[in-house]
Amino acid sequence: MAVSLKGRSLLTLADYSPEEIRYLLDLSHEVKREKKEGKILQRFLGKTLALIFEKRSTRTRCAFETAFGEEGGHPVFLSTQDIQLGAKESIEDTARVLGRMFDAIQYRGFKQETVEALARYAGVPVYNGLTDTDHPTQVLADLMTLEEEFGRLKGLKLVFVGDGRNNMARALMIGCSKVGVHYTIVAPPELHPDQALLSLCAGFAKESGAQIRIGTSPRGELEGADAVYTDVWVSMGEEEKSVQRMQLLLPFQVNSGLMSLTGRKDSIFLHCLPAVKGNEVAVEVIEGPQSRVWDEAENRKHTIKALMLATL
Ligand code: CP
Ligand code: NVA
């Protein structure tokens, strides 16, 4: 049956089938080509998009705003400094009002339950632009970048090194296990993902053939990796954990020594950004020949445009 995502929200890739993810990635490659050819298509003409931000953002906000705006749509940025969201007005009420005025809603913030509540009450597609536990639109861009580099996804090996229980490590496990990318987290035991996520992804991996591994030392785990991925040691909202994280994660910095453990010159380095150079990644790696982080950042826009085209 042909895939249709019309009217769907994206709260987590766990809700999407491998075929639906495939559909979004194919469309992403297509919209990237159109953009490079300079096509003006105006496919969101007359449409409006609400962008709710409880946390800061460069890439996600700009990807949504430019992708929507250049297709003729009108994005409206709503920081929680400015609107009522769960403070004076319940999330349900905000969702119902925004749903009457906008064709879609993006939410970036703390709780996954908030984006779920928005989707339940808005009556229009809601997109998760990052929560404490997930970042599905980033993973679409990461998968797209892997595909551009290697021409396929199934059977690739991606190793995430760092805070193995943060939103990125979790979101990547979901995305990779759905599409058949072998996925390893290398992190100190204190920062391993929880059993509930592992069980969920084990089910997806069984279908796709992906192998999921959790390790505590880069040695051995990185061998043969197609891609090495890291993210900040201190995610937004966890600033009070800074000192503890530095101590735990210092041995996990992605530097040229760590990259060499893949045993391959053609393995690539990915990072969702923003990066704290000198912490989770050394300058020589992020600025070096194996880094694909700028393509990855650009692909946020193409994948987000594809998501909106598919669902609106
Ligand atoms: N990768 C990412 O989500 O970046 P921003 O926090 O700048 O949106
Ligand atoms: N783990 C990071 C991701 C930023 C895109 C954070 O939540 O701050």
Side-chain angles (χ1 to χ4, degrees):
M1 221 174 74
V3 172
S4 169
L5 294 173
K6 209 165 161 46
R8 282 277 291 276
S9 292
L10 174 59
L11 309 181
T12 168
L13 283 176
D15 297 338
Y16 276 53
S17 70
E19 294 72 30
E20 289 167 343
I21 297 172
R22 177 72 267 149
Y23 177 82
L24 287 177
L25 290 172
D26 287 343
L27 192 55
S28 304
H29 291 294
E30 196 179 315
V31 301
K32 185 167 184 174
R33 275 193 301 275
E34 289 165 356
K35 180 72 187 156
K36 302 287 167 195
E37 289 163 8
K39 287 195 177 141
I40 310 274
L41 293 157
Q42 302 283 286
R43 287 169 286 195
F44 299 137
L45 201 63
K47 293 201 188 292
T48 50
L49 169 71
L51 297 166
I52 305 173
F53 282 86
E54 284 180 340
K55 291 177 178 171
R56 289 185 190 191
S57 168
T58 300
R59 279 142 289 271
T60 307
R61 175 184 177 178
C62 296
F64 271 103
E65 283 207 23
T66 58
F68 201 67
E70 73 189 20
E71 292 279 345
H74 182 63
V76 177
F77 177 76
L78 303 165
S79 115
T80 44
Q81 308 287 324
D82 309 310
I83 62 162
Q84 307 285 4
L85 185 78
K88 194 165 174 194
E89 185 167 50
S90 71
I91 291 153
E92 294 77 14
D93 290 0
T94 304
R96 286 182 285 197
V97 172
L98 294 181
R100 297 289 181 109
M101 300 194 190
F102 292 91
D103 295 288
I105 299 168
Q106 183 276 170
Y107 166 83
R108 161 170 293 202
F110 295 93
K111 294 196 188 118
Q112 184 73 13
E113 296 81 60
T114 306
V115 76
E116 287 167 1
L118 285 171
R120 232 179 359 261
Y121 288 93
V124 296
V126 172
Y127 312 120
N128 179 355
L130 179 147
T131 59
D132 289 343
T133 55
D134 213 329
H135 198 4
T137 64
Q138 176 69 49
V139 174
L140 290 174
D142 300 337
L143 295 177
M144 181 183 187
T145 311
L146 285 174
E147 233 167 27
E148 286 179 333
E149 186 68 28
F150 299 106
R152 70 194 165 97
L153 290 176
K154 255 200 198 315
L156 293 180
K157 175 174 174 178
L158 184 146
V159 183
F160 181 96
V161 183
D163 179 2
R165 35 101 275 154
N166 81 4
N167 43 15
M168 265 330 304
R170 295 174 56 90
L172 283 165
M173 190 187 295
I174 295 168
C176 289
S177 62
K178 282 273 180 181
V179 302
V181 173
H182 304 313
Y183 180 65
T184 301
I185 288 179
V186 175
E190 296 88 334
L191 299 174
H192 281 185
D194 60 59
Q195 196 52 49
L197 179 76
L198 287 169
S199 307
L200 176 75
C201 292
F204 303 149
K206 205 165 162 220
E207 295 280 307
S208 71
Q211 291 156 17
I212 309 289
R213 288 181 55 82
I214 310 295
T216 47
S217 156
R219 206 157 285 280
E221 297 293 355
L222 270 99
E223 204 179 324
D226 295 282
V228 179
Y229 199 117
T230 192
D231 183 15
V232 288
W233 288 344
V234 184
S235 288
M236 289 180 277
E238 304 186 328
E239 288 74 14
E240 82 285 356
K241 301 223 166 74
S242 285
V243 175
Q244 182 202 357
R245 288 285 165 73
M246 300 293 158
Q247 284 164 354
L248 278 173
L249 287 167
L250 209 57
F252 295 83
Q253 186 194 65
V254 180
N255 48 38
S256 51
L258 187 135
M259 283 301 288
S260 73
L261 295 176
T262 67
R264 291 175 51 174
K265 293 248 182 304
D266 64 340
S267 53
I268 62 168
F269 171 72
L270 297 174
H271 190 312
C272 55
L273 306 178
V276 184
K277 298 177 192 178
N279 274 10
E280 74 273 7
V281 61
V283 174
E284 80 242 16
V285 171
I286 194 166
E287 302 291 355
Q290 289 168 290
S291 175
R292 295 293 178 276
V293 300
W294 315 119
D295 297 318
E296 186 185 5
E298 178 192 328
N299 288 340
R300 296 297 308 285
K301 173 168 172 163
H302 306 302
T303 44
I304 280 171
K305 186 187 278 188
L307 170 67
M308 294 192 291
L309 283 171
T311 53
L312 285 181

